[in-house]
Amino acid sequence: MNKETLCLHSGYTPKNGEPQALPIYQSTTYRYGSVQELADLFDLKANTHMYSRISNPTVAAIEEKIAALEGGVGALCTSSGQAATMISIMNILKCGDHIVSAASIYGGTMNLLSVTFKRFGIDVSFVSSDATEEEIQSKIRPNTKVMFGETITNPTITVFDIEKFAKIAHANNIPLIVDNTFATPILCNPIKFGADIVIHSTTKYIDGHAQTVGGVIVDSGNFDWEKSGKFEEMCVPDDSYHGLIYTKAFGTSAYIVKARVQLMRDLGCYQSAQNAFLINNGLETLPLRMKKYCENAQQVANFLQNHPKVESINYPTLDSNKDKPLAEKYLADGASGVISFNVKGGREAGERFIDSLKLTSICVHVSDIRSVVLHPASSTHRQLSEQQLTEAGISAGLIRYSVGLENIQDIISDLTQALENV
Ligand SMILES: *Cc1c(COP(=O)(O)O)cnc(C)c1O
């Protein structure tokens, strides 16, 4: 099936007389007829539901749908995008390990990797995604266990060269995790370009309606944990499951099964059935919405590019953009609805522009159906020093504009009047 069809029909297939819409299974627990049947579940011999901290039929439906859309062997939903990033890394790293990450990433991920993981004894090195292969390779240490990047970076809107990083990761026997939030599975499938694990904040375009926080981890099934020789916990007996060995018991799904039955069991940040239902509503219309976001954003980008008060603009499909060749390769169907730009006059002018907008709302959010705007240097990236801001590619006046689905003329009128005020 093609993506539009998968969005409507995968994950849940009602039989005769069953509900056409995905039901919300509002139940914490599941009933069994004998002690042995439940015991088999605890030994992971049976693949059914036990407790809604670990799995739930409504959530399972969207896990199957997202795995199908990304071309993975399985998926695990989480209570937020942050929880997806955390579990995707903690599933394979431990105290003493090291991460190599692209320098331009979401502010929350930046904090997780460089502040909280540091307290757990996990170290991180950042590298510009424009760096040469030699420069990137030089960041890799014997204890480096993963590489990390974002398909379209939040908030700088640059395009990550997935193949370049995947090649280096694989030459060093480590996996590449790609945060595909802004591109969504509709505009890019990182697994096709060599990513081993894909994560999303479903809070953004996938939900799309600013209603539910959520995340998901998708396993490509392609990384060979045994052959790599670096991921003992994947290949040695797990005492908490009577000595089960994930790679032996679950083959190519070892990573995603371990993430669920071990880390989700212990950390407990699973998605709820109610929220999964709302996320599914978002998924059903995602291909249609992504097309419209890309169309509207292209028009806004063209408008801003030619405006005398705009100093610079990042939107990957513009001819003037340094990432245009990467966008042609990785984002052939469009570069989503998020644009970043600077108005002439730096921070002060940027703030004045934002305060002058009328239709567009100031929100700590992107990828909504409504147009929203944010000033990263005073909000999401407020805690970074001037030097860290520069390294992350965020100038003091940078504006992140998330183009919504309003009529394009109304969006452009709002931008026009706000720029007149600068
Ligand atoms: C928002 C976001 C996250 C974090 O997701 P939450 O659902 O807010 O926890 C991670 N990565 C990217 C690229 C994001 O935009």
Side-chain angles (χ1 to χ4, degrees):
M1 287 190 279
N2 291 293
K3 285 180 186 173
E4 294 84 349
T5 316
L6 286 172
C7 281
L8 294 166
H9 294 281
S10 63
Y12 173 63
T13 316
K15 299 187 194 71
N16 260 346
E18 288 183 354
Q20 169 79 328
L22 174 66
I24 304 172
Y25 288 92
Q26 192 66 41
S27 182
T28 57
T29 192
Y30 306 87
R31 190 183 157 151
Y32 290 95
S34 72
V35 171
Q36 189 56 50
E37 280 170 297
L38 195 56
D40 285 347
L41 270 183
F42 276 87
D43 278 347
L44 302 181
K45 284 180 188 150
N47 181 23
T48 50
H49 304 287
M50 175 203 293
Y51 188 59
S52 291
R53 183 183 350 108
I54 298 164
S55 69
N56 167 280
T58 310
V59 188
I62 68 166
E63 288 170 339
E64 195 180 320
K65 184 176 286 190
I66 297 170
L69 285 168
E70 283 290 14
V73 292
L76 173 67
C77 280
T78 55
S79 54
S80 68
Q82 283 299 105
T85 313
M86 172 185 75
I87 293 211
S88 73
I89 293 174
M90 284 179 70
N91 199 30
I92 44 177
L93 268 69
K94 58 182 182 306
C95 182
D97 288 342
H98 174 246
I99 303 165
V100 172
S101 171
S104 187
I105 49 171
Y106 172 65
T109 311
M110 180 75 88
N111 284 337
L112 174 66
L113 301 191
S114 57
V115 179
T116 298
F117 275 175
K118 194 173 223 139
R119 289 175 47 218
F120 295 166
I122 294 172
D123 211 0
V124 60
S125 300
F126 293 105
V127 62
S128 163
S129 50
D130 296 335
T132 62
E133 289 185 23
E134 292 69 33
E135 282 172 302
I136 301 167
Q137 177 62 43
S138 74
K139 300 279 180 184
I140 304 225
R141 306 175 188 165
N143 60 340
T144 306
K145 295 285 180 70
V146 74
M147 294 185 93
F148 188 92
E150 270 172 37
T151 315
I152 305 176
T153 61
N154 178 4
T156 46
I157 320 301
T158 55
V159 183
F160 183 59
D161 193 342
I162 302 170
E163 266 182 7
K164 178 171 77 177
F165 276 77
K167 189 178 142 205
I168 300 165
H170 297 157
N172 291 279
N173 292 316
I174 57 176
L176 173 66
I177 300 181
V178 173
D179 180 339
N180 198 32
T181 297
F182 275 15
T184 78
I186 305 305
L187 300 179
C188 181
N189 289 134
I191 291 171
K192 279 195 192 137
F193 299 104
D196 301 287
I197 311 295
V198 174
I199 58 174
H200 290 272
S201 164
T202 58
T203 318
K204 311 297 163 53
Y205 286 116
I206 289 182
D207 164 46
H209 296 71
Q211 293 171 342
T212 46
V213 174
V216 67
I217 306 169
V218 182
D219 181 1
S220 71
N222 292 337
F223 193 81
D224 193 330
W225 305 100
E226 284 185 350
K227 204 169 127 213
S228 154
K230 295 196 169 183
F231 299 92
E232 201 184 66
E233 61 276 24
M234 210 65 105
C235 318
V236 301
D238 180 348
D239 290 340
S240 70
Y241 284 109
H242 298 296
L244 173 133
I245 298 173
Y246 292 101
T247 48
K248 294 276 181 287
F250 301 105
T252 55
S253 300
Y255 172 93
I256 202 72
V257 172
K258 176 175 175 292
R260 181 188 301 278
V261 302
Q262 189 191 60
L263 279 178
M264 195 55 88
R265 175 196 65 186
D266 295 353
L267 300 177
C269 42
Y270 196 51
Q271 185 54 275
S272 72
Q274 292 273 347
N275 281 359
F277 173 80
L278 292 171
I279 294 167
N280 188 55
N281 283 351
L283 280 165
E284 288 178 337
T285 58
L286 188 62
L288 211 56
R289 286 187 292 113
M290 291 318 293
K291 192 160 182 268
K292 188 67 183 168
Y293 282 120
C294 294
E295 280 168 22
N296 276 1
Q298 187 65 52
Q299 296 212 45
V300 169
N302 293 345
F303 165 79
L304 290 172
Q305 174 170 246
N306 297 320
H307 199 286
K309 289 193 179 170
V310 173
E311 186 175 273
S312 61
I313 168 165
N314 282 325
Y315 189 65
T317 58
L318 290 175
D319 284 338
S320 58
N321 195 278
K322 70 168 174 53
D323 287 343
K324 179 145 201 220
L326 292 174
E328 280 170 349
K329 177 170 177 180
Y330 296 113
L331 300 162
D333 294 329
S336 93
V338 194
I339 293 173
S340 70
F341 63 99
N342 284 284
V343 289
K344 289 179 184 158
R347 181 189 278 254
E348 212 181 310
E351 287 178 1
R352 189 169 170 85
F353 165 79
I354 291 177
D355 285 338
S356 304
L357 287 164
K358 290 180 179 151
L359 176 69
T360 311
S361 24
I362 306 176
C363 284
V364 185
H365 190 44
V366 273
S367 321
D368 189 4
I369 41 178
R370 289 151 287 241
S371 293
V372 292
V373 69
L374 185 84
H375 179 230
S378 67
S379 56
T380 49
H381 290 66
R382 193 180 178 82
Q383 66 294 336
L384 297 193
S385 66
E386 290 295 321
Q387 193 198 333
Q388 283 173 314
L389 278 175
T390 312
E391 277 168 13
I394 300 165
S395 54
L398 188 82
I399 292 160
R400 185 184 72 185
Y401 194 93
S402 174
V403 183
L405 300 182
E406 296 94 347
N407 181 286
I408 187 62
Q409 280 162 11
D410 296 331
I411 298 172
I412 295 205
S413 300
D414 193 32
L415 293 166
T416 306
Q417 64 81 24
L419 282 166
E420 273 164 14
N421 260 330
V422 173

